[in-house]
Amino acid sequence: MGEVLSVVMFFGIIGVLMLGYPVAFSLAGVSLFFAGLGWLLGAFDPSNFNSLASRYIGVMLNEVLVAVPLFIFMGMMLERSGIAEKLLITMGRMFGTLRGGLGLSVILVGALLAASTGIIGATVVTMGLLSLPAMIRAGYDPRLATGVICASGTLGQIIPPSTVLIFMGDMLSGINAQVQMEKGNFAPSAVSVGDLFAGAFIPGLMLVSFYMLWMIYKAITDPKSCPALEVTAEEKANLGHDVLTSLLPPLVLIMAVLGSILGGIATPTESAAVGAVGAMLLAAVKRKLTLTNLRECMSATANTTTMVFVILLGASVFSLVFRMLGGDELVADFLGNLPGGTLGAIVFVMLLMFLLGFILDTFEIIFIVLPITAPILLMMDVDPVWLGVMVAINLQTSFLTPPFGFALFYLRGVAPSSVPTRMIYEGVLPFVGIQLVALVTLIIFPEIVTWLPNKLYGN
């Protein structure tokens, strides 16, 4: 009876979320309802809730997760410092004279902003406001223009420092330790956020390369869809100086933050603090460090951080009820009996997350699906770092897939009325396909993920 209730609860939560109710309260409320139903039917013991408070307090006191609000603040401050606008304008002038050059500049700027800010909404909106009108004026196909802006804006999901990777690194660390203890390994190699950052670095660059190759392919096979931009002699005059001054600040910040983490000099939390202070210094240099901007950044950081941690509380309730109803054993039996063994289980989990991305947000999927499926996959000897990177790239598509792709909403809010919503949806489809190709590539060549962490940390 408990296993039946756990399955009904899982789909019931998805149904409630699709109705538009708040995520945290939907997770906790539906879970509490089924816990009460299970208690009445003798399938759930209410004393299981005794450990919930201490577990959640332990999450809140976790030093690793302190990096989340710091990285969010860093991104908010950089977004208000004008670095993104300067980068887009300068890169557009540098590459715009080539066919597809504006598209290439958007991809490069998206990668740089992902590594320095990681705020997907701000990146998509900024590039939509500045690049989309210029691309349309230059004669770009609106589908190609909107697709490349949305896809490039979501690179902050996979390129470190990503808040998603921070949460997954913390979750996978605990899950891996528990699984290794069950397998009799009482001194397992620890999985850290730094491991996930290192593992995601090369796949992130690979994804950027795939995007650029697609843009080059379009420039060769369909030059009318991405014509060259005319740059005046006046705009070319100070191009070298502008490239240096626009590229140097974010590159220095990226080296300070990511370099300190990958080099083992600082923990993610310490480097996040460096990044937050660095972002304030850059804003001060550009005379954007005003009391108003500081207040707005702090407020936005508090709102975003609170939202994520409240969702985590609801997800903790769901995970506890699901497990105590016997749902984890049901999932383990199901995944273990799939054809194809470990590969079949991985493909099924990836497909499930991909489909859930059409209707749920990234954090919702992580907090619901990962605690259920990760222990089973790790028990099958799946590398936890590889699994985390695979999930991150997979869930990057959730920002692009209709009807609830947030990148689509962000761009729709700033796109001109001459670009209908249908064109935006059609424009992202090739980039969703590219991300799926990236997933298949990582399945075939897992060393792309595991090589750098092994090289740096010897795990």
Side-chain angles (χ1 to χ4, degrees):
M1 178 57 70
E3 293 180 347
V4 174
L5 288 176
S6 65
V7 173
V8 176
M9 180 180 70
F10 179 82
F11 289 104
I13 286 175
I14 293 175
V16 171
L17 290 174
M18 290 180 65
L19 293 176
Y21 289 100
V23 177
F25 304 121
S26 299
L27 287 170
V30 174
S31 300
L32 289 174
F33 172 80
F34 277 91
L37 189 60
W39 177 52
L40 292 175
L41 296 175
F44 184 84
D45 185 358
S47 64
N48 290 318
F49 285 124
N50 293 341
S51 62
L52 188 61
S54 59
R55 180 187 306 178
Y56 193 66
I57 290 174
V59 170
M60 297 299 294
L61 295 177
N62 191 331
E63 289 186 8
V64 174
L65 298 184
V66 175
V68 172
L70 290 172
F71 277 130
I72 292 173
F73 177 83
M74 182 183 79
M76 295 291 181
M77 183 58 69
L78 285 175
E79 188 266 329
R80 285 165 172 79
S81 68
I83 287 179
E85 292 89 337
K86 184 69 173 177
L87 266 175
L88 279 168
I89 294 171
T90 305
M91 288 295 185
R93 286 161 54 195
M94 186 166 67
F95 292 103
T97 54
L98 303 172
R99 283 203 307 265
L102 275 178
L104 291 174
S105 67
V106 167
I107 295 170
L108 288 173
V109 171
L112 287 170
L113 293 179
S116 55
T117 67
I119 306 299
I120 291 174
T123 303
V124 173
V125 168
T126 300
M127 294 198 296
L129 286 171
L130 296 177
S131 297
L132 185 57
M135 296 172 86
I136 292 176
R137 283 196 304 270
Y140 270 63
D141 183 342
R143 296 174 183 83
L144 180 60
T146 56
V148 74
I149 289 173
C150 285
S152 302
T154 61
L155 286 170
Q157 170 88 357
I158 182 64
I159 295 180
S162 163
T163 54
V164 172
L165 292 177
I166 294 173
F167 276 104
M168 282 203 297
D170 183 67
M171 294 173 67
L172 288 171
S173 175
I175 293 172
N176 181 64
Q178 180 182 354
V179 168
Q180 295 302 319
M181 291 283 285
E182 293 178 6
K183 295 171 70 173
N185 180 9
F186 298 103
S189 298
V191 178
S192 67
V193 174
D195 289 320
L196 243 64
F197 277 10
F201 187 72
I202 295 177
L205 296 181
M206 181 186 74
L207 202 55
V208 172
S209 302
F210 284 178
Y211 289 170
M212 296 180 73
L213 288 173
W214 175 253
M215 182 56 63
I216 294 171
Y217 169 79
K218 293 293 289 184
I220 295 173
T221 61
D222 189 12
K224 292 183 179 179
S225 67
C226 49
L229 180 69
E230 293 185 6
V231 180
T232 65
E234 183 181 353
E235 290 175 327
K236 292 180 181 179
N238 297 319
L239 185 56
H241 174 267
D242 290 344
V243 169
L244 183 63
T245 56
S246 63
L247 273 177
L248 195 58
L251 285 178
V252 169
L253 193 64
I254 291 168
M255 291 176 62
V257 174
L258 286 186
S260 61
I261 297 175
L262 299 182
I265 300 172
T267 66
T269 303
E270 292 166 346
S271 65
V274 171
V277 174
M280 293 175 67
L281 291 176
L282 290 179
V285 169
K286 294 181 175 294
R287 298 183 180 180
K288 299 282 187 174
L289 187 60
T290 63
L291 187 60
T292 300
N293 280 344
L294 186 60
R295 186 185 298 114
E296 289 177 354
C297 289
M298 294 172 66
S299 177
T301 300
N303 288 336
T304 305
T305 305
T306 302
M307 175 197 72
V308 174
F309 277 92
V310 170
I311 293 175
L312 181 57
L313 173 59
S316 299
V317 178
F318 162 77
S319 178
L320 186 146
V321 175
F322 185 86
R323 188 170 62 256
M324 293 305 165
L325 285 174
D328 55 344
E329 297 176 3
L330 183 66
V331 172
D333 292 340
F334 176 77
L335 293 179
N337 293 322
L338 283 173
T342 302
L343 179 61
I346 292 169
V347 171
F348 176 82
V349 172
M350 291 298 115
L351 180 61
L352 174 64
M353 289 186 171
F354 175 75
L355 295 176
L356 288 177
F358 283 82
I359 56 177
L360 298 180
D361 180 34
T362 299
F363 282 107
E364 300 164 16
I365 299 173
I366 289 174
F367 292 152
I368 294 174
V369 179
L370 200 61
I372 297 173
T373 59
I376 294 98
L377 294 178
L378 297 190
M379 191 67 74
M380 296 178 175
D381 294 326
V382 173
D383 187 281
V385 175
W386 178 83
L387 177 62
V389 174
M390 288 286 291
V391 171
I393 293 182
N394 191 348
L395 294 184
Q396 188 177 341
T397 61
S398 68
F399 286 94
L400 301 176
T401 48
F404 297 123
F406 281 92
L408 308 178
F409 293 159
Y410 296 140
L411 188 60
R412 174 67 278 168
V414 297
S417 57
S418 59
V419 180
T421 303
R422 176 179 54 82
M423 282 189 174
I424 299 177
Y425 284 2
E426 292 173 356
V428 300
L429 291 179
F431 294 94
V432 172
I434 289 172
Q435 291 175 349
L436 296 179
V437 170
L439 279 175
V440 174
T441 303
L442 295 183
I443 290 176
I444 299 173
F445 304 105
E447 298 84 7
I448 297 174
V449 175
T450 58
W451 177 81
L452 187 57
N454 290 340
K455 196 74 173 177
L456 292 176
Y457 307 119
N459 289 343

